[in-house]
Amino acid sequence: MRIRRFLALSLFCGGILAGAEAAADVTLPPPPFGLSDVRTGPVADQRVAWWRQARLGMFIHFGVYSVLGHGEWAMFSEHIPRNDYAKLADDFHPDPAAPAEWAKVARQSGMKYMVLTARHHDGFSLFASRANDFNVATHNNGQDVVKNYTDAARREGLRVGLYYSPLDWRFPGYFMPDLYLDSAEAMRNQYHREVEQLATDYGKIDLLWYDGGGEQWLGFGGLEFDGAKWGSRDRGKPYTGRFSWRDGEVDQRLHQLQPDILVNDRTSVPGDWRTRENPVNLGGFDDVQPWELCITLAGTWGYQPGARPRSLDELVRLLVQTATRDGNLLVNVGPAPDGHIPPDQIARLGELGAWLQKYGRAIYGTRGGPFLPTATMGATRVDSTVFLHLLGGEGDHLPTIITVPEFPGGPTLLRARLVGTGASLTVSKGKGGTDIGIPPQAARNGIAIVELSYDGPVMGLAPRPL
């Protein structure tokens, strides 16, 4: 993942407040510096429908950096020479059975899709790459982690995703593509060949999660010499050098091999969803551009011994805050060098799975709205039902009465009940809407979910404030 202390750039474009679906496929203007357009419209919506319904996925950062246990950016941040870093592969011997564990944990945790780092910025491929000798198979008698993973995910009924970084720190051409043009072009060749191999050798791939691509990200924002000193290229100034990733060629070939594959917004071609990274960039409501918030479960993205997982309450809150803003949540685990996820992280994810067994119908298959989220409330909807999510917190109390706005000329509220217990709630005419009584101790894990049943569909209603 991209670490902000190394970059002075924002990876997130603020949420767009919108209600009606676009009438035709369009691409919206790109957000600041380095992210591509995102396809929107009826055809685009149909392509991402399964993904939007899934709501929750598992991210897995795994590679030779796991041996060090300092996170996935160790090579760059600790200035480890390329040849010294390569020696880590001699100590990287993942258990071939570990991917089966990942997939089982993901399913039991309520995840619907998975994303594995097929190759991160350090250039180490978790598959038997035909374009890159620095790969897991050359040190493990041909073991192909990507193959083990894709097979395991499908056995558990999960959608298969792969993370891939065109960027490779081993190539000087990434940092100075014009001065080291031959290096940059060799890196590009590796990128083209490896993506084609991933799209060819591993069956149906449901999504490709790019990171580090696009001309604007060259040199982490564009190292530029002005005749006196080196500095970062101004974020509003596009790269105009001789090098190009030729992302369009990769995308065309990728979709020839995998017609239904979804890609994110981190290359120079239009993507299928917008990427938001880390809770600080949760952002606002957006039901036009599909989007996903990725977070770590514990510590850094890559393995970090002793890192404590987020509490269940925090995980649930982040999931609810994301769903009510109409996004997906991608929760990352960083397996140990042997490939196994730390037990405390497995336990926490199991708790999340148990919560979803009870409350998941207010998350899965829903869309955000019709009420816009606030700091203490949010809503999801499906058919003629609205799920109102009331966010309490440690030491906080839920309101005893909430007022739900009416929809002039729209559906009428019939009844309200508490999700999880099915208890009916008192409903009465109030000033400016319908008052609903919330019983004491209604919250579980800091959140109470109220199911509002209407006499007509709520999906076409424009989002409005609570």
Side-chain angles (χ1 to χ4, degrees):
M1 306 302 292
R2 291 172 173 143
I3 307 300
R4 276 142 183 90
R5 61 183 174 181
F6 295 120
L7 307 177
L9 308 173
S10 170
L11 295 182
F12 166 66
C13 178
I16 295 176
L17 212 60
E21 296 292 328
D25 283 344
V26 297
T27 54
L28 300 181
F33 205 29
L35 303 181
S36 63
D37 299 335
V38 169
R39 301 179 182 92
T40 63
V43 175
D45 287 346
Q46 185 176 4
R47 284 176 50 81
V48 302
W50 73 261
W51 182 85
R52 271 181 153 155
Q53 292 175 353
R55 280 297 185 226
L56 181 64
M58 175 182 279
F59 216 173
I60 304 168
H61 274 67
F62 186 52
V64 293
Y65 45 80
S66 305
V67 175
L68 289 175
H70 302 167
E72 74 292 348
W73 272 62
M75 178 183 178
F76 184 89
S77 60
E78 298 174 23
H79 303 279
I80 302 174
R82 169 178 173 165
N83 291 339
D84 291 347
Y85 189 82
K87 295 174 184 177
L88 294 174
D90 296 332
D91 298 318
F92 183 66
H93 303 293
D95 182 352
E101 174 191 88
W102 304 341
K104 182 178 179 181
V105 170
R107 177 181 58 78
Q108 293 177 342
S109 304
M111 275 71 172
K112 302 300 183 182
Y113 61 100
M114 301 176 71
V115 181
L116 170 67
T117 51
R119 202 196 76 191
H120 208 273
H121 308 326
D122 61 354
F124 185 78
S125 299
L126 281 183
F127 57 100
S129 174
R130 294 187 287 272
N132 175 19
D133 291 337
F134 189 41
N135 69 71
V136 66
T138 61
H139 296 268
N140 292 276
N141 299 316
Q143 181 186 171
D144 191 320
V145 176
V146 168
K147 178 67 163 61
N148 295 340
Y149 153 75
T150 55
D151 289 348
R154 295 187 189 107
R155 283 195 301 268
E156 296 292 344
L158 300 169
R159 296 275 190 162
V160 176
L162 294 173
Y163 167 111
Y164 183 84
S165 170
L167 147 64
D168 188 332
W169 290 322
R170 302 174 305 155
F171 289 80
Y174 176 76
F175 300 95
M176 299 180 183
D178 297 291
L179 182 61
Y180 298 107
L181 184 60
D182 56 342
S183 172
E185 290 175 343
M187 178 179 60
R188 179 183 64 204
N189 179 61
Q190 176 182 263
Y191 153 49
H192 284 223
R193 292 176 61 193
E194 286 198 318
V195 169
E196 177 157 359
Q197 181 179 348
L198 291 171
T200 302
D201 290 3
Y202 300 96
K204 187 177 188 299
I205 306 300
D206 296 292
L207 61 93
L208 191 56
W209 211 105
Y210 284 117
D211 196 20
E215 281 80 11
Q216 296 294 64
W217 278 100
L218 291 169
F220 297 135
L223 292 176
E224 190 173 61
F225 187 66
D226 64 5
K229 63 182 184 303
W230 286 98
S232 292
R233 186 175 64 248
D234 184 88
R235 66 183 295 173
K237 180 180 177 182
Y239 170 75
T240 58
R242 295 176 59 188
F243 176 71
S244 169
W245 288 107
R246 296 182 183 172
D247 289 324
E249 297 175 12
V250 177
D251 191 66
Q252 181 180 27
R253 182 59 175 154
L254 175 65
H255 284 88
Q256 287 175 348
L257 296 167
Q258 300 278 347
D260 297 323
I261 197 168
L262 304 179
V263 299
N264 68 338
D265 60 347
R266 290 190 173 180
T267 66
S268 298
V269 296
D272 296 291
W273 79 90
R274 179 73 69 216
T275 306
R276 305 184 185 184
E277 186 175 325
N278 291 322
V280 68
N281 286 324
L282 170 64
F285 183 91
D286 185 351
D287 68 348
V288 175
Q289 297 182 109
W291 62 271
E292 175 187 74
L293 176 70
C294 57
I295 65 168
T296 62
L297 177 61
T300 57
W301 300 94
Y303 177 61
Q304 186 179 21
R308 299 183 62 180
R310 299 177 191 271
S311 69
L312 176 60
D313 285 9
E314 185 179 3
L315 276 179
V316 169
R317 178 177 289 267
L318 283 167
L319 175 58
V320 166
Q321 288 175 324
T322 303
T324 57
R325 286 161 174 76
D326 205 36
N328 283 16
L329 185 67
L330 188 63
V331 181
N332 179 79
V333 295
D338 62 3
H340 294 288
I341 302 169
D344 58 347
Q345 296 185 35
I346 293 177
R348 180 68 77 244
L349 290 174
E351 292 171 358
L352 178 61
W355 185 88
L356 282 162
Q357 286 181 356
K358 194 171 186 179
Y359 300 99
R361 64 193 186 92
I363 302 293
Y364 301 125
T366 66
R367 296 291 303 271
F371 305 119
L372 296 173
T374 68
T376 57
M377 295 185 194
T380 54
R381 55 179 161 171
V382 60
D383 299 328
S384 58
T385 300
V386 173
F387 296 100
L388 195 60
H389 302 254
L390 311 179
L391 282 67
E394 188 174 349
D396 295 336
H397 299 284
L398 296 176
T400 56
I401 296 176
I402 57 172
T403 301
V404 178
E406 296 178 349
F407 300 106
T412 300
L413 179 63
L414 299 176
R415 61 183 177 274
R417 56 189 172 189
L418 206 59
V419 177
T421 67
S424 295
L425 303 179
T426 58
V427 176
S428 59
K429 185 71 173 178
K431 185 178 181 180
T434 303
D435 290 343
I436 299 174
I438 307 299
Q441 309 304 318
R444 294 292 184 273
N445 302 107
I447 292 172
I449 303 177
V450 176
E451 180 179 353
L452 306 177
S453 298
Y454 288 82
D455 65 358
V458 297
M459 297 307 291
L461 301 174
R464 55 176 297 174
L466 272 165

